[in-house]
Amino acid sequence: MNLHVTAVGPLATIQDLGRPGWMHVGVSPSGAADRESHRLANALLGNDAGAATIEVLLGGLELLATQATWVALTGADCGARVDGRAIAWAGPVALRAGQRLRLGFSTAGLRAYVAVSGGVAVEPVLGSRSRDTLSGLGPEPLRTGMVLPAGARPVRPTVDAAPAQRPSPDALYLVAQPGPHMDWLLHGLDATHWQVSPDSDRVGVRLQGRALPRRALRVGTELPSAPMVRGALQLPPSGHPVVFLADHPVTGGYPVVAVLDDTSCDTIAQARPGQRLSMHITTVRR
């Protein structure tokens, strides 16, 4: 079964759970920016959690089915329709041959996930079907005219919907653990407030707000490059933090003052430019 791409919004890429295990040769794990939404979309169709989905930035994607199949949409609610008829969010939807799935544009949240029964079966690269936007590794971003193969023969889902929470347009609450360089800060991070910068993408989210000053003995100090992880909160000399997302570089030389937990990584991946958030530090793993 194939899906024909008949329209694309700002950006749509193929993503799975990434390609871990290659950082020693300079390859980031990449994968879905909002992993929980990706997993949920697959679970609704009975797919393996690692099956490839389509990650859609803001909306605007349109797909034409060549055979009957099932799809599920999670993440940012884009007001999706099939042949003009509104369809459920976070629930399996049957597509007949010749029907068109069209995503509008989200008003809350940044990324929607489209799963198809059997997964999107493009050719894997280094064991993953994820597009790494920083290195250019993996399947090309979707464009009009592309044909996407789907996986195994579709099986009727056994659930009607999931009690999932849509991304919020309100201020976000993020939880992080202290990073290895937390003691570089003159003041702590707990209960700090920020806004999401428009200069953000799948590589990282830049935060705007009050600059975080370093302790006097750390001003002008340089660090050797060290391995980076998803959720790392780096502090460049400007004092405005950057949160690394899925396509982060494998190393970095700025101090890491905190590391977001997995849930908060998914949350900030849905944050829109200008959205407010607060940062809270905990020493307990969640």
Side-chain angles (χ1 to χ4, degrees):
M1 200 282 292
N2 294 328
L3 294 170
H4 290 249
V5 181
T6 54
V8 178
L11 178 68
T13 59
I14 307 299
Q15 299 293 339
D16 54 22
L17 291 179
R19 49 179 66 83
W22 295 96
M23 289 183 65
H24 64 291
V25 292
V27 177
S28 174
S30 193
D34 178 355
R35 294 180 183 175
E36 184 57 32
S37 292
H38 164 89
R39 289 189 180 100
L40 175 59
N42 276 322
L44 287 165
L45 301 181
N47 291 345
D48 182 84
T53 63
I54 305 171
E55 182 180 279
V56 184
L57 182 68
L58 291 175
L61 179 70
E62 185 177 270
L63 302 172
L64 171 66
T66 60
Q67 292 177 262
T69 189
W70 290 84
V71 294
L73 285 77
T74 59
D77 188 348
C78 296
R81 294 176 176 269
V82 172
D83 289 350
R85 175 180 57 86
I87 61 171
W89 178 89
V93 175
L95 279 185
R96 298 193 303 271
Q99 287 192 310
R100 292 177 186 268
L101 170 67
R102 170 75 184 183
L103 275 65
F105 289 89
S106 65
T107 57
L110 200 61
R111 295 177 169 92
Y113 290 83
V114 181
V116 58
S117 190
V120 181
V122 294
E123 195 66 27
V125 177
L126 295 181
S128 170
R129 295 181 170 91
S130 288
R131 175 67 176 183
D132 183 338
T133 59
L134 181 62
S135 69
L137 195 67
E140 291 293 321
L142 272 58
R143 64 181 185 278
T144 301
M146 288 181 70
V147 177
L148 303 177
R153 188 177 184 85
V155 176
R156 183 180 178 86
T158 58
V159 297
D160 294 326
Q165 189 173 2
R166 289 170 169 80
S168 173
D170 300 328
L172 304 175
Y173 179 96
L174 304 180
V175 176
Q177 296 180 52
H181 308 114
M182 175 68 89
D183 61 347
W184 284 45
L185 294 176
L186 182 61
H187 308 293
L189 265 176
D190 199 43
T192 50
H193 299 270
W194 306 92
Q195 281 184 295
V196 175
S197 166
D199 188 17
S200 302
D201 54 22
R202 280 182 46 87
V203 176
V205 175
R206 296 183 183 274
L207 302 182
Q208 298 173 326
R210 179 178 61 84
L212 294 174
R214 299 182 183 184
R215 293 183 183 275
L217 59 85
R218 294 298 187 182
V219 174
T221 302
E222 300 294 335
L223 284 169
S225 289
M228 289 293 117
V229 296
R230 175 177 178 257
L233 190 75
Q234 271 204 329
L235 188 66
S238 67
H240 295 103
V242 177
V243 179
F244 278 158
L245 294 185
D247 292 349
H248 65 81
V250 297
T251 61
Y254 295 140
V256 175
V257 295
V259 180
L260 269 61
D261 66 13
D262 283 343
T263 298
S264 294
C265 285
D266 292 338
T267 298
I268 199 170
Q270 293 289 1
R272 298 167 74 102
Q275 192 163 2
R276 296 182 179 276
L277 57 88
S278 60
M279 191 85 61
H280 299 267
I281 304 301
T282 178
T283 56
V284 179
R285 279 189 180 273
R286 296 204 304 169

